[in-house]
Amino acid sequence: MSTAGETTAPPVNDRLLEVKRLSKQFPLTSGLLEQLQFERGRLVRREDSVNAINDAELSVRRGEALCVVGESGCGKSTLARVVMGLLPPTSGSIYFAGTRIDNLSADELLPFRRRMQMIFQNPYASLNPRMTVKQALEEPARFHHPSLSRTAIADKINEVMRSVGVDPGWNERYPHEFSGGQRQRISIARALMTDPEFIVADEPISALDVSIQAQVLNLLMEAQQQRSLTYLFITHDLSVVEHFGSRVAVMYLGAICELAETRTLFRQPRHPYTRALLSAIPKLDRSRPDRSRLLGEVPTPIHLPGGCFFHPRCVHANDRCREERPKLLTTAEGTQVACHGVQEGRLG
Ligand code: SF4
């Protein structure tokens, strides 16, 4: 595991982003008085935390769209924010193009901020209502490319607006003058203004009308091809994953339980949680796996289950599952899966 002072990882050319044993906790109690509790007649100090990410491991290859999927509250949006440096990790490390970035100062991080951009779920909140589209697009270009002339920036705004399907003649308008789909296109244009290599998209279509979702998804795919972009794409929607992702990471209680090529994951899911997620999709396609049964409810991320986080809901759980947390290991087919049952050959 990496040490705190380490700044570079061994170069692995096809990996643009690497997340290693990443954890993020949010303390629940702030004051000392809130932390003190009586237990068996003694005063003890308890600091409860929400364990949003728990030793998550993944890497994103150059040029791919890695989708992170999981139920609401599984930690996927927190993962996006920690990767982007919007939240500090509690432990673990993040590497971008071989350089460790989670321990950099704000100044040291600046060159990476140009190369990494984020698209948020809510296009209403991510654009400043007091800025015209032109001002909103100028801002990141001026900040990250201070040597660009006014003419070069104006040309770039025109080019980027055209590429996202918004008329450049509308650049003096304010965000409220646009529809939700157009605003998300403008948010995408803003992210493209710095010529990024890597985009973290956090549920970028889930706030849009269904009729608009496919258009914005197609726009993101076109931008990927035209600009050689790499995506970390956060979603709860498996139909989006199937359409958009080259690989999929399935998250449960802040940990990656399965990571595979999209086609492999949909045809041959290995982890019992992935099987349950896929079997919950209404389908006409009979080639998909039969309905998988889940026990109980998602446990709270405040008190995580011991052993495999999924064991209270898994019909295949045994004593080892209740005691020992499974590691994410690679199967012969190349799928990474954290499940004792799969590793022992008990599950197909
Ligand atoms: Fe189920 Fe055990 Fe696999 Fe966890 S490790 S998913 S409890 S079989």
Side-chain angles (χ1 to χ4, degrees), residues 271-273 308-311 314-318 321 326 338-342 346-347:
H271 196 282
Y273 177 62
C308 171
F309 291 165
F310 191 59
H311 87 252
C314 181
V315 292
H316 307 287
N318 63 12
C321 300
C339 174
H340 295 310
V342 172
R346 288 193 282 122
L347 303 179

Side-chain angles (χ1 to χ4, degrees), residues 112-123:
F112 295 96
R113 290 217 178 277
R114 183 195 71 70
R115 298 166 71 185
M116 306 167 71
Q117 290 289 312
M118 186 156 180
I119 300 167
F120 293 90
Q121 176 178 1
N122 187 349

Side-chain angles (χ1 to χ4, degrees), residues 22 24 53 77-89 94:
L22 192 74
K24 178 65 186 173
I53 309 177
S77 287
T78 304
L79 175 71
R81 280 162 175 72
V82 174
V83 163
M84 286 303 295
L86 303 177
L87 291 171
I94 302 166

